[in-house]
């Protein structure tokens, strides 16, 4: 089990990452129209936002690996898949479904009432806008609700809630990690039946990876960042081999960075998906490993407890902040352009705290893991009965 102080430190990091994503998206919605996308501060903050999302993947890998290890130790070396899935689904599904419905409601509201953004968010005074207009496709709604947007061919996240692209990958990572853990524990067993189960789970693991085979660099890189988190936990079990592996990754990242310095292409390519951003994968992986060295500093932050409290609603905040910003932009954008700098600052401050407060309240219901877990358990009993 993680010690309480260590668990709180990870929560604080999660809270910081969620706040960074909120602030940076607020900047993209309300400040970029005034200064443009090519402003140096915008380029920096966009990369910072991207890295904050990678931190979420690494944290997930760390925590899920720990959860599976605890699960196996409680069950004499075997994984209780039902308990694991009940725990994971009770955390991820209620907020995800609610966020999907809310995003659909925001899109329909803007389109039906012909609000600003129904045709276009852009005005002659804007240097750049976060979204050109509001759009919604039925297949994206269904895929997002099923947490498979971007996995099913031709689908993507709902237009007014693009951050949900990462949620589907994390959802699939839960199952991939489960089958991998079941395969490892089974193949390590001396019991013939358990070893046979191990081979079965290994086969299932391979099948789960097939949907991503057509887009290895688009999708696998995020499983790679997730795996870095898993390795950071595994390092405490096998310190020497895993330490060497992580060290090799840092060296590879350094080599890639030197190589990129000689490239003539725009450095933004490092943050693209697919082959265009291939050089950025080991660099970002190395940054995640090196960032783990700074975790002890987070324990001494005077604001740590503030971020710990924020982490209790970080999942809800991540899922709901973007459509809330979209709705606020639709309502206030035209007036906002006429306001003074001071009025804009007060507005953005109030909007940020309003979103934080609203998501914190909403998380009390949506992130009640114990309550939802009990509900899922009762539902399973009724289905079986």
């Amino acid at each position: 089990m993680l010690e309480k102080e260590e668990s709180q430190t990870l929560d604080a990091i999660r809270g910081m990452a969620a706040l960074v994503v909120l602030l940076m998206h607020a900047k993209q919605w309300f400040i970029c129209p005034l200064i443009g996308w090519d402003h140096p501060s915008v380029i920096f903050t966009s990369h910072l936002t991207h890295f904050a999302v990678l931190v979420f993947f690494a944290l997930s890998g760390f925590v899920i690996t720990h959860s599976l290890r605890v699960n196996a130790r409680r069950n004499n070396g075997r994984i209780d898949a039902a308990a694991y899935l009940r725990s994971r689904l009770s955390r991820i599904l209620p907020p995800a479904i609610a966020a999907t419905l809310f995003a659909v409601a925001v899109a329909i509201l803007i389109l039906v009432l012909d609000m600003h953004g129904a045709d276009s968010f852009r005005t002659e005074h804007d240097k750049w806008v976060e979204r050109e207009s509001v759009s919604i496709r039925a297949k994206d709604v269904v895929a997002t609700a099923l947490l498979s947007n971007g996995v099913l061919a031709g689908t993507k996240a709902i237009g007014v809630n693009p951050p949900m692209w990462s949620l589907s990958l994390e959802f699939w990572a839960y199952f991939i990690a489960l089958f991998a853990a079941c395969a490892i524990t089974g193949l390590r067993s001396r019991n013939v039946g358990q070893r046979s189960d191990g081979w079965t789970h290994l086969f299932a693991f391979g099948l789960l990876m097939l949907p991503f085979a057509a887009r290895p660099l688009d999708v696998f890189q995020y499983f790679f960042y997730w795996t870095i988190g898993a390795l950071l936990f595994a390092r405490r079990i096998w310190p020497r081999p895993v330490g060497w592996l992580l060290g090799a990754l840092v060296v590879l990242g350094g080599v890639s960075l030197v190589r990129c310095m000689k490239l003539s292409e725009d450095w933004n390519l490092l943050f693209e998906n697919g082959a265009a951003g291939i050089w950025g994968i080991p660099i970002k992986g190395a940054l995640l490993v090196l960032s783990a060295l700074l975790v002890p500093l987070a324990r001494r932050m005077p604001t740590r407890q503030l971020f710990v409290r924020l982490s209790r609603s970080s999942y809800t905040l991540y899922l709901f902040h973007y459509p809330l910003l979209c709705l606020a932009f639709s309502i206030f954008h035209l007036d906002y352009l006429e306001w003074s700098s001071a009025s804009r600052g007060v507005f953005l401050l109030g909007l940020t705290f309003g979103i934080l407060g609203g998501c914190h309240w909403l998380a009390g219901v949506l992130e009640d893991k114990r309550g939802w877990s009990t509900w899922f358990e009762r539902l399973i009993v009724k289905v079986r009965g």
Side-chain angles (χ1 to χ4, degrees), residues 4 106 179 239 242 343 356 371:
K4 181 178 180 180
V106 168
F179 284 114
V242 176
S343 298
L356 287 171

Side-chain angles (χ1 to χ4, degrees), residues 62-269:
F62 186 95
V63 172
I64 296 305
T65 303
H66 166 260
S67 175
L68 286 167
R69 177 173 170 78
V70 171
N71 186 311
R73 294 181 71 176
R74 286 176 176 173
N75 295 281
N76 299 319
R78 301 191 68 177
I79 302 294
D80 184 348
Y84 170 82
L85 289 175
R86 185 169 62 249
S87 174
R88 292 298 94 205
L89 295 181
S90 62
R91 169 168 172 75
I92 199 171
L93 283 183
I97 294 174
T100 301
L101 294 175
F102 180 71
V104 171
V106 168
I108 291 176
L109 182 67
I110 293 175
L111 292 171
V112 170
L113 298 183
D114 196 25
M115 296 168 61
H116 177 59
D119 295 321
S120 175
F121 280 119
R122 189 181 296 275
T123 73
E124 60 181 4
H125 305 291
D126 294 314
K127 295 183 178 180
W128 185 86
V129 287
E130 171 70 3
R131 313 293 295 181
E132 286 294 334
S133 61
V134 169
S135 61
I136 187 168
R137 301 190 308 172
K139 64 178 180 180
D140 293 337
V141 173
V142 174
T144 301
L146 296 176
L147 292 174
S148 52
N149 51 282
V151 176
L152 297 177
T155 63
K156 57 184 179 180
I158 299 174
V160 295
N161 203 358
M164 290 193 76
W165 70 266
S166 64
L167 198 63
S168 63
L169 294 181
E170 184 174 354
F171 177 71
W172 281 73
Y174 289 161
F175 289 93
I176 291 171
L178 172 63
F179 284 114
C182 289
I184 292 172
T185 55
L187 293 175
R188 290 177 60 186
S189 175
R190 296 180 180 180
N191 182 284
V192 176
Q194 291 183 24
R195 194 177 299 124
S196 176
D197 287 343
W199 284 110
T200 301
H201 284 102
L202 184 62
F203 178 72
F205 171 83
L207 289 179
L208 278 177
M209 300 300 286
L210 286 179
F212 312 112
R215 301 176 294 127
L217 293 178
D218 287 344
V219 176
F220 282 155
Q221 63 168 307
Y222 294 103
F223 292 145
F224 169 68
Y225 305 133
W226 192 96
T227 302
I228 288 175
L231 288 174
L232 288 170
F233 178 83
R235 187 173 179 271
R236 59 184 60 196
I237 306 172
W238 305 289
R240 182 166 295 181
V242 176
W244 278 106
L245 182 60
L246 293 174
L249 175 58
V250 172
V251 172
L252 179 60
V255 172
S256 300
L257 184 62
V258 172
R259 175 68 180 88
C260 285
M261 290 179 178
K262 300 179 180 180
L263 291 177
S264 58
E265 288 90 348
D266 191 335
W267 273 69
N268 284 332
L269 288 178

